Amino acid sequence: YSAGTSVELHIDNLFLEVIFWTGCPFKLKPEGGGCVSFLLDILSGVLANTISDTSYIPITQGTLCLSVIRDLFDLSIVAYKTSTRQSIKLVLDTIRTAIEKEEVTAELLLHSDQGFQYASQSYFALTTQYGITPSMSRRANPYDNAMAENFFSILKSECIPLFKPETIREAQTLIDGFITFYTHERIQLNTKAIPHRKADTILSDMI
């Protein structure tokens, strides 16, 4: 093989390795740089593909609404917000928090379901402002948003039932602590790696 072919095969293998680790449900198109562009984004620490959703957290006083944005590469929680009710503002504030915290690629994709928050004019205006490409699940197909639901399932099985928060403040404190633990300490069962350390692990294995 020529040197160029060897580099191309190495990139292809690394890309397949990333897909294996992340379980990314999207079919990434080779437009605008393709696999190489995608790999450079995720391995340099910028956001390329993310997913967002909201869920209700049960507490003694009622329910608390949690909105999250999850990085589909390392599965970490990029940003989150809580509120006492579902609203468009809750989702928009989550996006603003993510933009303030993380470096964002020009081709950032933000996937969601077809909830009223994500179908609103305000949502599309904000994503356009930040250069984010919105993506939505197919109608009546929850599998498209499975990576977001997966985190909520983990939170509700590993954290909420154990501590049984009674007040909104207790629930918010509990969620803060669990997301920090999940992103920086908890080992992922499918990859045996910690989210924020996963990129380094892949690089060391492949180089």
Side-chain angles (χ1 to χ4, degrees):
Y1 297 107
S2 66
T5 302
S6 298
V7 171
E8 185 176 315
L9 288 174
H10 183 75
I11 291 295
D12 286 344
N13 289 337
L14 183 55
F15 181 72
L16 291 174
E17 182 78 1
V18 169
I19 295 300
F20 170 77
W21 277 65
T22 62
C24 181
F26 302 111
K27 296 180 180 178
L28 300 168
K29 297 180 180 180
E31 301 169 357
C35 299
V36 175
S37 175
F38 174 73
L39 285 172
L40 290 176
D41 285 338
I42 59 178
L43 295 180
S44 63
V46 300
L47 292 179
N49 287 274
T50 55
I51 194 165
S52 180
D53 201 1
T54 62
S55 185
Y56 291 101
I57 306 300
I59 58 177
T60 303
Q61 287 185 347
T63 55
L64 183 68
C65 299
L66 171 64
S67 168
V68 303
I69 295 178
R70 192 181 194 188
D71 188 335
L72 285 173
F73 170 61
D74 66 9
L75 304 184
S76 64
I77 301 302
V78 176
Y80 66 97
K81 285 288 184 179
T82 59
S83 175
T84 54
R85 65 187 184 90
Q86 289 278 16
S87 67
I88 296 173
K89 182 179 183 301
L90 174 62
V91 169
L92 300 186
D93 286 345
T94 309
I95 295 175
R96 293 188 183 101
T97 299
I99 296 298
E100 291 171 1
K101 286 178 53 181
E102 302 286 345
E103 184 179 356
V104 177
T105 176
E107 299 175 354
L108 174 63
L109 175 71
L110 179 57
H111 186 73
S112 69
D113 60 20
Q114 295 191 33
F116 74 92
Q117 307 97 320
Y118 304 105
S120 68
Q121 184 176 354
S122 298
Y123 176 79
F124 281 97
L126 187 65
T127 53
T128 299
Q129 176 185 336
Y130 288 133
I132 299 171
T133 301
S135 166
M136 283 192 173
S137 300
R138 293 164 291 175
R139 202 174 283 276
N141 195 325
Y143 299 106
D144 286 352
N145 221 39
M147 296 305 290
E149 295 293 346
N150 169 258
F151 172 73
F152 291 135
S153 176
I154 293 171
L155 173 66
K156 292 177 182 179
S157 62
E158 295 185 7
C159 178
I160 302 301
L162 297 180
F163 297 95
K164 299 180 175 61
E166 296 185 357
T167 67
I168 292 174
R169 182 179 294 275
E170 286 180 4
Q172 289 172 329
T173 301
L174 195 59
I175 290 169
D176 289 343
F178 183 80
I179 288 180
T180 299
F181 163 75
Y182 177 85
T183 299
H184 299 285
E185 299 180 41
R186 182 186 184 276
I187 295 176
Q188 301 290 313
L189 296 180
N190 61 329
T191 63
K192 311 303 181 187
I194 296 171
H196 271 183
R197 297 180 186 173
K198 202 171 296 182
D200 292 337
T201 303
I202 293 177
L203 281 175
S204 63
D205 287 345
M206 294 298 296
I207 295 176

